[in-house]
Structures are given as C-alpha cells and as structure tokens.
C-alpha cells in the first residue's frame, strides 16, 4: 500500500515553470480589446506598443457586413505562428470565444458567412511572438479569380528590433522615430498597391483582369500614414522646442 502512494506523489512546487517578472524596459500595460478596436486605424492593429524581438504581439481586427461590403480574399505566409482569438462574433466562421492556431500559409477574408448581411460581425485578435533569430519573413499573395494561379506575391522581412537582421531604416523608418511602423501593416499596404496596378490585376496565365482589392475594408495605408505623421509631428514639436530654447 505504501508503494502505491509513493508512485503518485505530486512533484515539488520548485519543479514548476515560472514566468519571470518585468525587466523594467517595458511597462506592463492593460487594454480593453473592445475599446481599442472601436477606435482602430486599420485591421490587424497592434494593441500594445511593443513589437521588438521576443515580444508577444496581439493585433486586433473588427469586421462587419453590409450591402456595400466587399473584403476580397488574399493569402498570408508567416514564418512565425499566429493564434486567433475571437472576442465576439455573429454569423461568422469564427465562433465567439474560439481559439485557433493558423497554418503558416493561410487564406484571409472577412471571416463572415455572408459579408452582405448587416447583422454579421467578428471581433478577433491575431497574436504572434516576434522571433529573436534572423529570418522572420512574411508574404502577401493574391490569386487569379478565374484560374486560381498566383498573380501577386509580395514578400518582405518582418525582422523585429533586436533581431540580428533588423533594419531600422526599413519601411522608411528614421533613427529618431518615436513610433515604429508595423512590418505587416507596411507589407500589406505595399501589397495592395502592387495588387491594384494594371500589371498586378492581370493574370499572366489566363489573361483575366481581376477586380481591384478593396483597400477601404482593411485601411492598411491609413495606419502607415498615421504612423508616419505621428513621427513627423513629434519631430516638429522637438524642433519648435529647440527654437524656443526649451
Ligand atoms: Zn488567371
């Protein structure tokens, strides 16, 4: 009898895994995903200002249907894993409260069953952990509506600050920027420009001219522009303070 009890003894607490405390370089922050997404500049907006190597980066997206809605369809390749958490949905492919690990190469659309239905909506976060090693990359891909062959593949480095291959000047960044551009956002905005060009729309395989991707549903360029202006505004204030000898 004594031997049986010995066999099921619970390991000592010292053997359990502990998450180390804050290092002091990043202030712990808490936000409401609902409040943030009510005022978001674009789909896939990072909820927190931390995106350097090793950071956990949750990004929010909120989509809803309507008679004039058109989200289109594209594909996303990512060398790091993504986890989608649905914070609320109706008539969507993603159920409220669901957690889903995406494939490294996956399709992206509105995730609504019928995007013309005004009652359909989804509020979701997509979270990735920034690699601390070189080689973090992403690609945005469009396929021909008619023959399904690739018409555009826009690949870009998503190396985070602190990773060996991080380039602070990528995406038009400047050394004294106070807000970094988010690589996925810039890559997606660039993809939309290429995808909507005459060449990008025309399939080399079957000649079909694909309709433009609806940029309004995603607003990537909007966030890229706002980030650039926020940095320029901070520079302008610093210059004004210098002029006033402050
Ligand atoms: Zn085609």
């Amino acid at each position: 009898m004594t031997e049986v009890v010995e066999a099921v003894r619970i390991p000592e607490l010292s053997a359990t895994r502990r998450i180390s405390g804050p290092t002091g370089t990043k202030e712990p922050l808490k936000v409401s995903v609902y409040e943030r997404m009510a005022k978001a500049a674009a789909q896939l907006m990072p909820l927190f200002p931390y995106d350097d190597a090793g950071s956990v980066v949750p990004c929010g997206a909120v989509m809803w249907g309507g008679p004039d809605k058109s989200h289109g369809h594209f594909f996303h390749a990512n060398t790091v894993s993504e986890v989608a958490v649905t914070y609320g949905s109706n008539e969507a492919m993603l159920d409220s409260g669901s957690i889903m690990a995406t494939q490294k190469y996956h399709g992206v659309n509105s995730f609504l069953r019928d995007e013309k239905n005004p009652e359909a909506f989804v509020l979701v976060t997509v979270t990735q952990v920034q690699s601390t090693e070189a080689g973090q990359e992403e690609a945005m891909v469009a396929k021909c509506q008619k023959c399904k062959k690739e018409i555009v593949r826009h690949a870009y480095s998503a190396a985070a600050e602190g990773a060996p291959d991080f380039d602070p000047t990528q995406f038009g960044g400047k050394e004294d920027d106070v807000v970094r551009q988010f690589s996925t956002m810039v890559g997606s905005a660039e993809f939309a420009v290429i995808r909507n060009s005459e060449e990008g729309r025309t399939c080399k395989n079957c000649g079909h001219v694909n309709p433009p991707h609806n940029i309004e549903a995603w607003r990537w360029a909007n966030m890229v522009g706002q980030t650039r202006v926020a940095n320029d505004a901070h520079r302008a204030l610093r210059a004004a303070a210098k002029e006033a000898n402050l």
Side-chain angles (χ1 to χ4, degrees):
M1 190 62 199
T2 310
E3 277 172 22
V4 172
V5 172
E6 193 66 27
V8 296
R9 178 173 284 174
I10 296 165
E12 288 183 28
L13 278 176
S14 59
T16 58
R17 192 173 167 214
R18 289 181 73 91
I19 296 172
S20 54
T23 60
T25 55
K26 283 187 267 186
E27 182 190 356
L29 297 172
K30 180 180 168 184
V31 302
S32 159
V33 69
Y34 305 104
E35 187 277 331
R36 294 287 278 163
M37 293 323 296
K39 299 162 186 173
Q43 305 297 3
L44 211 71
M45 184 194 76
L47 300 177
F48 298 97
Y50 309 136
D51 63 357
D52 58 328
S55 284
V56 177
V57 187
C59 301
V62 56
M63 278 163 303
W64 65 99
D68 304 326
K69 283 297 179 95
S70 154
H71 295 81
H73 190 256
F74 55 90
F75 295 82
H76 184 220
N78 197 343
T79 55
V80 296
S81 302
E82 301 174 5
V83 175
V85 179
T86 306
Y87 282 85
S89 69
N90 185 46
E91 291 295 317
M93 311 289 206
L94 304 166
D95 290 334
S96 296
S98 69
I99 299 173
M100 183 182 75
T102 64
Q103 301 286 328
K104 292 276 167 92
Y105 179 66
H106 53 266
V108 181
N109 56 28
S110 69
F111 298 106
L112 305 177
R113 291 191 194 286
D114 173 11
E115 64 182 358
K116 305 296 182 193
N117 176 5
E119 303 298 319
F121 66 82
V122 62
L123 194 157
V124 63
T125 58
V126 178
T127 301
Q128 67 181 40
V129 179
Q130 303 290 67
S131 177
T132 54
E133 293 167 9
Q136 186 175 333
E137 287 171 8
E138 292 176 38
M140 294 280 287
V141 175
K143 292 184 182 177
C144 175
Q145 210 177 43
K146 202 171 167 191
C147 76
K148 311 298 177 201
K149 288 270 196 289
E150 264 187 33
I151 50 171
V152 171
R153 172 174 283 262
H154 180 54
Y156 50 94
S157 168
E161 186 185 23
D165 52 344
F166 173 69
D167 173 9
T169 64
Q170 69 182 350
F171 313 132
K174 298 188 175 103
E175 290 284 350
D176 62 346
D177 281 350
V178 290
V179 187
R180 246 193 318 273
Q181 291 283 6
F182 184 51
S183 53
T184 311
M185 201 60 61
V186 184
S188 300
E190 289 171 346
F191 160 79
V193 172
I194 300 165
R195 162 68 181 77
N196 285 352
S197 68
E198 200 63 35
E199 199 190 343
R201 291 171 59 193
T202 311
C203 178
K204 287 183 179 64
N205 182 54
C206 75
H208 178 66
V209 180
N210 289 268
H213 176 70
N214 180 18
I215 53 174
E216 181 49 34
W218 305 90
R219 292 172 288 136
W220 300 311
N222 193 45
M223 199 175 103
V224 174
Q226 283 182 218
T227 304
R228 179 179 55 77
V229 170
N231 283 315
D232 287 345
H234 197 269
R235 260 186 290 277
L237 184 67
R238 289 202 306 269
K242 201 175 170 187
E243 208 168 294
N245 291 316
L246 289 175

